[in-house]
Amino acid sequence: MKDAVLMATVSSFEGLRQPRSSDLKQFCELFEPLFMASSDEARRQAAAALARSPHVPPSVALQIGSAPIAIAALFLTRAVSIEERVLLDIIRHQSPSHANAIARRDNLSVRVVDALVERRDSTSRPAASMPEPPKPVAAPAKETASLEREERLRAELKALARTAGQPLAAPATPPRRPLLALDATHEALLVRFSRSGEVNLFAATLSHALDCSAVFGERLVLDVSGWQLAVTLSALGTPRMEMVRMLTTLYPYLGERNGSATRCDALLDGIDPVDAKTRVEGWIAADDARRNGGQRHAPMLGPERAEDPRQPAAYPAPANQTQQVASTFYPRNLTRSAR
């Protein structure tokens, strides 16, 4: 029950496009005790979900990052919103495995790189200061080689920090990930959100179950024919009764009867589960390639959406042309008031 409440809390928070300060405070108060009381699998799923959120509070990020490395590894490596001071605190007070996970992040500031180097030096210094048995004459050469390796590592980390903002080469197409069956927690959340009509939370939970981007889950639900969602639910091994209930609730016209059966029954009868699984795995592989290829989803109302330089609207128009367009598309009184 605590696992389901934890995932519902995370899904509700991720559904907020622009959370207010009161929303962040309430999420911190709910998340911290639930995260401590939930199972390792639920905490791992919650950490993976919040790694995609751009609004994770610092206290929540510190709690997830301080969890055992099996839970925190994905969050430390891929979290899009984690402050520098939180990374520094984790590097200095957690295990070397936590520091190694942070070192694999794409963008590292100079302070974080220095902290990683200091942590590496501090973990290797006690072993070097311990008394050792007499060594042969070649021992100074080994110590020199060790120092040279550390200096090379320091130089590589600093170079990585300097080139963090530069575009990277396009990675290879990721292999197709096998699709896992829908677990009881995600199934319960999908049924609950479909019954209550919370489409955004339903799409976010579906994205968590598929381990894909939130945009991919929204795209599945926005298919008003219901075919893409029916194929996805069939590929996840959802019971037919639950599929009918979710589809007819989200798309009411599927509940209309067409002869002796409903439109939903006809839709599900035409889907092969094996073919559906292969098809959904291909969709997820294409979504992974889109994300790894550097493409970024810009919301329709997002303030960061830039003009497309390929469109004619992006080119500056002459003054006389601007005046002519304004007089053509706007009433005369609006054009006069604009002047």
Side-chain angles (χ1 to χ4, degrees):
M1 185 63 184
K2 293 178 181 179
D3 294 350
V5 175
L6 174 64
M7 295 306 300
T9 303
V10 172
S11 299
S12 300
F13 177 74
E14 195 174 15
L16 300 176
R17 298 302 178 110
Q18 293 294 334
R20 300 167 296 181
S21 58
S22 58
D23 297 330
L24 297 175
K25 181 179 179 181
Q26 183 180 11
F27 176 68
C28 293
E29 295 175 352
L30 292 174
F31 179 83
E32 293 176 3
L34 288 173
F35 188 78
M36 294 296 296
S38 299
S39 64
D40 290 346
E41 180 61 26
R43 291 195 291 173
R44 189 179 300 109
Q45 293 181 7
L50 291 177
R52 299 188 293 260
S53 175
H55 306 292
V56 179
S59 60
V60 173
L62 181 60
Q63 185 180 15
I64 297 176
S66 302
I69 189 60
I71 298 172
L74 182 62
F75 182 81
L76 293 176
T77 305
R78 302 183 182 177
V80 298
S81 64
I82 179 168
E83 296 183 359
E84 181 185 76
R85 60 185 180 88
V86 176
L87 293 175
L88 294 175
D89 187 280
I90 295 173
I91 292 172
R92 292 164 182 167
H93 298 95
Q94 300 302 323
S95 68
S97 300
H98 290 73
N100 292 335
I102 294 176
R104 290 195 295 267
R105 293 178 62 86
D106 293 335
N107 298 322
L108 291 175
S109 64
V110 178
R111 293 182 60 189
V112 173
V113 172
D114 290 339
L116 289 171
V117 175
E118 291 175 2
R119 178 59 189 270
R120 179 180 176 85
D121 293 342
S122 63
T123 53
S124 60
R125 190 176 300 118
S129 61
M130 292 178 59
E132 298 180 356
K135 295 182 179 180
V137 180
K142 293 183 179 180
E143 294 179 358
T144 304
S146 178
L147 292 176
E148 290 178 355
R149 282 197 303 270
E150 293 181 1
E151 289 299 329
R152 283 198 302 269
L153 175 62
R154 185 187 296 269
E156 290 175 0
L157 289 176
K158 289 184 179 294
L160 177 63
R162 287 193 299 268
T163 60
Q166 299 180 2
L168 301 178
T173 303
R176 180 173 295 188
R177 293 187 281 112
L179 188 65
L180 302 179
L182 189 67
D183 55 36
T185 302
H186 284 106
E187 182 179 342
L189 291 175
L190 289 175
V191 173
R192 172 188 172 186
F193 292 144
S194 64
R195 289 178 178 175
S196 59
E198 301 179 36
V199 182
N200 291 335
L201 298 181
F202 182 91
T205 306
L206 185 63
S207 301
H208 298 162
L210 296 172
D211 190 19
C212 61
S213 64
V215 181
F216 180 74
E218 293 177 1
R219 199 159 55 237
L220 293 176
V221 179
L222 287 177
D223 177 21
V224 295
S225 67
W227 179 78
Q228 293 187 15
L229 181 58
V231 171
T232 305
L233 294 176
S234 178
L236 290 173
T238 310
R240 185 183 178 95
M241 182 182 301
E242 299 297 342
M243 285 195 292
V244 171
R245 190 173 303 172
M246 285 186 276
L247 291 171
T248 54
T249 303
L250 294 174
Y251 314 104
Y253 83 95
L254 291 178
E256 299 176 358
R257 302 198 67 85
N258 186 9
S260 60
T262 62
R263 295 179 181 269
C264 185
D265 292 329
L267 178 64
L268 295 177
D269 290 341
I271 297 176
D272 181 16
V274 178
D275 178 69
K277 185 175 181 180
T278 304
R279 188 184 298 271
V280 174
E281 288 177 352
W283 291 347
I284 296 176
D287 181 69
D288 291 341
R290 179 190 62 82
R291 286 189 292 170
N292 296 331
Q295 301 179 12
R296 184 171 180 269
H297 171 66
M300 184 177 64
L301 301 179
E304 72 279 9
R305 182 168 182 149
E307 291 185 352
D308 190 349
R310 299 169 295 180
Q311 299 299 327
Y315 301 128
N320 56 352
Q321 183 178 354
T322 304
Q323 182 178 0
Q324 181 181 0
V325 172
S327 62
T328 303
F329 289 95
Y330 294 92
R332 185 178 302 277
N333 57 346
L334 291 182
T335 307
R336 186 177 304 159
S337 62
R339 294 175 184 174

